[in-house]
Amino acid sequence: RAPSRENRTRREMEVDSDDDTWRLNLNDAWTSDSEGEVRAKPSTSAAKFARAELDAVNVDIDAAPATTTAPRGDVNASKYALTLPNELGVLTVAQIHKCELGTVVWNAALILCDWLRANAGTLRGRTILEVGAGCGACGFYAAACGADCIIADCGPQTMRNLEKTLACYENLVAKRSGGGSFAGNVKLRRHLWEEDFEILEARRLGEIPGRVRHWSNVGVFENEGAGFAAPMAPTDVFDIVIGSDLLYFSSQEESLLAALRLRLKPGGVCYIVQTLRTNNAKVFARFVLAARRYFVVDIVSASLPNANVFLRAKETPHALLDDPYRLLTLRPL
């Protein structure tokens, strides 16, 4: 049964309101919250628990050879060097450490970039949205393959960080403009998945969407809106939606699913690379089960690409040591 407008509004007003949840320290020994999902201390028992959670809800995956470690990058690097296709050169992807989760490049993004590289021929001329883009590595890579991309996120620091990388990308494209570059355009947009959930619910109820209060827009975009990227329009839809490491917290399951439902064109497709961690097994499993109400969902194991192609990025200490990465393909029913 759908929640009432009053209950949904109260819940939405509390979504991710604790900004400290999004502060990151890779050296922390994360501890469990009351649900046992937001933070968890990495351990063998926790990893077994995570596997058991996936098995309990029959989230089927294709087996892949186990890895012995989750490689980690330089925790002090202020930028990530991403080699773009079509001779565009090296994109300097800006990073800000120990800030919002979206201000560093994670290993899952490299796996998605490698998938984009292998399927570059299918991207040219397509419209692509990178949801929960963080540093935007995947969106910029897709644009370099010839797609027109919207790179979207919500955090103020994340958006400012993206502006730096966009300036670098546009400079690379400008240098190649006289040499037959087929690089696509990139635009930045502010995007709250919770707003997409509200839009879908309002349509279902025949109402006008309400305003969503979110940690990323309280007192920041409201008071300093000038100069920030424009928000996503309710009518913005895309051929392809991509994303990496999108599922951390239970509050994201419902809203992410709403964003995919709203933003994909009929006949579109979504590709997500997700890292399995000791703290997100329930989140991942519930999202997959819910997604199957609206999408055909295929899940396969994925591996980090050759380090000679993509330099290693970040990984959290609670990522599963054995076979932690999954590539999800979602096609509307």
Side-chain angles (χ1 to χ4, degrees):
R1 180 179 176 182
S4 68
R5 167 69 60 174
E6 291 77 14
N7 289 339
R8 287 191 297 106
T9 301
R10 180 162 57 253
R11 184 197 64 219
E12 289 157 4
M13 290 290 286
E14 297 171 352
V15 166
D16 292 338
S17 59
D18 182 4
D19 189 49
D20 288 339
T21 300
W22 294 80
R23 302 295 174 181
L24 177 67
N25 186 339
L26 291 180
N27 296 318
D28 280 349
W30 289 20
T31 56
S32 300
D33 70 348
S34 58
E35 290 184 311
E37 348 181 300
V38 174
R39 298 188 176 193
K41 189 175 296 183
S43 67
T44 301
S45 59
K48 289 180 179 178
F49 173 79
R51 299 285 185 189
E53 288 295 332
L54 297 177
D55 292 340
V57 293
N58 297 317
V59 176
D60 297 325
I61 56 174
D62 292 336
T67 55
T68 57
T69 184
R72 301 174 189 171
D74 178 4
V75 297
N76 297 313
S78 61
K79 58 188 179 182
Y80 177 85
L82 178 66
T83 301
L84 297 178
N86 297 323
E87 300 181 347
L88 277 180
V90 176
L91 177 67
T92 299
V93 180
Q95 299 188 110
I96 309 173
H97 294 272
K98 297 184 181 180
C99 193
E100 296 162 3
L101 287 175
T103 55
V104 292
V105 178
W106 301 96
N107 275 332
L110 308 185
I111 296 173
L112 185 52
C113 283
D114 195 45
W115 185 95
L116 295 169
R117 178 184 64 83
N119 294 274
T122 66
L123 305 178
R124 187 176 304 281
R126 309 295 292 279
T127 56
I128 292 182
L129 168 65
E130 184 181 11
V131 294
C135 292
C138 303
F140 287 112
Y141 197 91
C145 292
D148 288 325
C149 291
I150 296 294
I151 296 178
D153 212 308
C154 61
Q157 295 293 334
T158 298
M159 298 308 297
R160 288 300 192 201
N161 197 54
L162 279 168
E163 290 173 354
K164 300 175 186 177
T165 307
L166 177 60
C168 180
Y169 175 82
E170 291 176 338
N171 183 53
L172 292 175
V173 172
K175 289 180 179 179
R176 291 285 300 168
S177 60
S181 173
F182 295 100
N185 296 317
V186 173
K187 294 180 180 178
L188 306 182
R189 289 292 183 266
R190 286 187 286 119
H191 181 212
L192 288 179
W193 304 343
E194 291 78 13
E195 289 181 343
D196 288 357
F197 176 85
E198 175 66 14
I199 290 169
L200 290 179
E201 280 294 282
R203 289 179 181 176
R204 184 180 67 84
L205 298 171
E207 300 178 0
I208 298 174
R211 179 183 176 278
V212 174
R213 183 180 182 273
H214 188 266
W215 68 266
S216 67
N217 64 15
V218 177
V220 179
F221 290 127
E222 296 165 326
N223 300 326
E224 302 178 14
F228 279 100
M232 292 274 286
T235 54
D236 289 341
V237 291
F238 303 85
D239 299 317
I240 300 171
V241 175
I242 60 174
S244 61
D245 262 351
L246 301 179
L247 294 164
Y248 291 91
F249 313 125
S250 58
S251 62
Q252 297 170 315
E253 301 162 26
E254 193 174 50
S255 56
L256 173 58
L257 183 56
L260 301 184
R261 291 172 57 201
L262 182 65
R263 300 301 172 180
L264 267 180
K265 288 181 179 179
V269 61
C270 174
Y271 302 102
I272 296 173
V273 174
Q274 180 62 46
T275 305
L276 301 182
R277 300 181 169 91
T278 56
N279 59 0
N280 72 352
K282 286 184 179 179
V283 174
F284 179 77
R286 285 195 301 256
F287 172 80
V288 169
L289 288 179
R292 285 176 171 156
R293 299 201 305 267
Y294 307 99
F295 299 94
V296 175
V297 182
D298 294 320
I299 309 173
V300 296
S301 294
S303 301
L304 284 167
N306 191 310
N308 293 326
V309 179
F310 295 102
L311 299 174
R312 291 290 181 266
K314 288 294 181 86
E315 192 51 85
T316 56
H318 53 297
L320 300 186
L321 294 182
D322 294 324
D323 192 23
Y325 303 109
R326 297 291 178 270
L327 171 63
L328 288 75
T329 303
L330 298 92
R331 300 180 186 275
L333 292 172

Coordinates of all heavy atoms in Angstrom, one line a residue, residues 11 27 36 39-40 47 102 108 143-144 156 183-184 199 207 213 252 277 280 287 296 326:
R11 N 8.6 11.7 5.7 CA 9.8 10.9 5.5 C 10.8 11.6 4.6 O 12.0 11.6 4.8 CB 9.4 9.6 4.8 CG 10.6 8.6 4.5 CD 10.2 7.6 3.5 NE 9.9 8.2 2.3 CZ 8.9 7.8 1.5 NH1 8.1 6.8 1.8 NH2 8.7 8.4 0.3
N27 N 40.3 5.7 6.5 CA 41.0 5.0 7.6 C 40.1 4.7 8.8 O 40.5 4.0 9.7 CB 42.1 5.9 8.1 CG 43.2 6.2 7.0 OD1 43.5 5.3 6.3 ND2 43.6 7.4 6.9
G36 N 22.3 -1.8 10.9 CA 23.4 -2.7 10.5 C 23.7 -2.6 9.0 O 24.3 -3.5 8.5
R39 N 26.8 1.6 8.2 CA 28.3 1.5 8.4 C 28.5 0.2 9.1 O 27.8 -0.3 9.9 CB 28.8 2.6 9.3 CG 28.6 4.0 8.7 CD 29.3 5.1 9.5 NE 29.1 6.4 8.9 CZ 29.8 7.4 9.3 NH1 30.7 7.4 10.2 NH2 29.7 8.6 8.6
A40 N 29.6 -0.5 8.6 CA 29.9 -1.8 9.2 C 31.4 -2.0 9.2 O 32.1 -1.7 8.3 CB 29.3 -2.9 8.5
A47 N 31.6 -10.2 5.9 CA 31.6 -10.6 4.5 C 30.7 -11.8 4.3 O 29.9 -11.9 3.3 CB 33.0 -10.9 4.0
G102 N 30.9 11.8 -3.2 CA 31.0 12.0 -4.6 C 32.2 12.8 -5.1 O 32.4 13.1 -6.3
A108 N 34.7 1.3 -8.9 CA 33.6 0.9 -9.7 C 33.4 1.8 -11.0 O 33.0 1.3 -12.0 CB 32.3 1.0 -8.9
A143 N 31.0 10.9 -23.1 CA 31.0 12.0 -24.0 C 32.1 11.9 -25.0 O 32.0 12.3 -26.2 CB 31.0 13.3 -23.2
A144 N 33.3 11.5 -24.5 CA 34.5 11.4 -25.3 C 34.2 10.3 -26.4 O 34.9 10.4 -27.5 CB 35.7 11.1 -24.5
P156 N 26.8 20.1 -2.9 CA 27.4 21.4 -3.3 C 28.9 21.2 -3.6 O 29.3 21.7 -4.6 CB 27.2 22.3 -2.1 CG 26.0 21.7 -1.4 CD 26.1 20.2 -1.6
A183 N 33.8 14.3 -30.2 CA 33.4 14.3 -28.8 C 32.0 14.9 -28.6 O 31.7 15.9 -29.2 CB 34.4 15.0 -27.9
G184 N 31.2 14.3 -27.7 CA 29.9 14.8 -27.4 C 29.9 16.0 -26.4 O 31.0 16.3 -25.8
I199 N 7.9 13.2 -8.0 CA 7.2 13.4 -9.3 C 6.3 12.2 -9.6 O 5.1 12.3 -10.0 CB 8.2 13.7 -10.4 CG1 8.9 15.1 -10.1 CG2 7.6 13.7 -11.8 CD1 10.1 15.3 -11.0
E207 N -1.6 14.7 -8.2 CA -1.3 15.9 -7.5 C -0.1 16.7 -8.1 O 0.5 16.2 -9.0 CB -1.0 15.5 -6.0 CG -2.2 14.8 -5.3 CD -1.8 14.5 -3.9 OE1 -0.7 14.7 -3.5 OE2 -2.7 13.9 -3.2
R213 N 12.9 18.3 0.9 CA 14.0 18.9 1.6 C 15.1 17.8 1.7 O 14.8 16.7 2.1 CB 13.5 19.3 3.0 CG 14.6 19.9 3.9 CD 14.0 20.2 5.3 NE 15.0 20.9 6.2 CZ 15.8 20.2 7.0 NH1 15.8 18.9 7.0 NH2 16.7 20.9 7.7
Q252 N 18.3 5.1 -0.2 CA 18.5 5.3 -1.6 C 17.8 4.3 -2.5 O 17.7 4.6 -3.7 CB 20.0 5.2 -1.9 CG 20.9 6.3 -1.2 CD 22.4 6.1 -1.3 OE1 22.8 4.9 -1.1 NE2 23.1 7.1 -1.7
R277 N 29.7 -4.5 -0.5 CA 30.4 -4.3 0.7 C 29.8 -5.0 1.9 O 28.7 -5.5 1.8 CB 30.5 -2.8 1.0 CG 31.2 -2.0 -0.1 CD 31.3 -0.5 0.2 NE 32.1 0.2 -0.8 CZ 31.7 0.7 -1.9 NH1 30.4 0.7 -2.3 NH2 32.6 1.3 -2.7
N280 N 26.3 -3.2 2.7 CA 25.2 -2.8 1.8 C 24.5 -4.0 1.1 O 23.9 -3.9 0.1 CB 25.7 -1.9 0.7 CG 26.7 -2.6 -0.3 OD1 27.0 -3.7 -0.2 ND2 27.0 -1.8 -1.4
F287 N 17.1 -3.6 -3.6 CA 17.0 -2.8 -4.8 C 16.7 -3.7 -6.0 O 15.9 -3.4 -6.8 CB 18.2 -1.9 -5.0 CG 18.3 -1.2 -6.3 CD1 17.6 -0.1 -6.5 CD2 19.0 -1.8 -7.4 CE1 17.6 0.6 -7.8 CE2 19.0 -1.2 -8.6 CZ 18.3 0.0 -8.8
V296 N 13.7 -5.7 -16.7 CA 14.4 -6.9 -16.8 C 15.8 -6.6 -16.3 O 16.5 -5.8 -16.8 CB 14.5 -7.4 -18.3 CG1 15.4 -8.7 -18.4 CG2 13.1 -7.7 -18.8
R326 N 29.7 -5.8 -9.4 CA 28.6 -6.3 -10.2 C 28.2 -5.3 -11.3 O 28.1 -4.1 -11.0 CB 27.4 -6.6 -9.4 CG 27.6 -7.7 -8.3 CD 27.8 -9.1 -9.0 NE 28.0 -10.1 -8.0 CZ 29.3 -10.4 -7.5 NH1 30.3 -9.8 -8.0 NH2 29.4 -11.4 -6.6

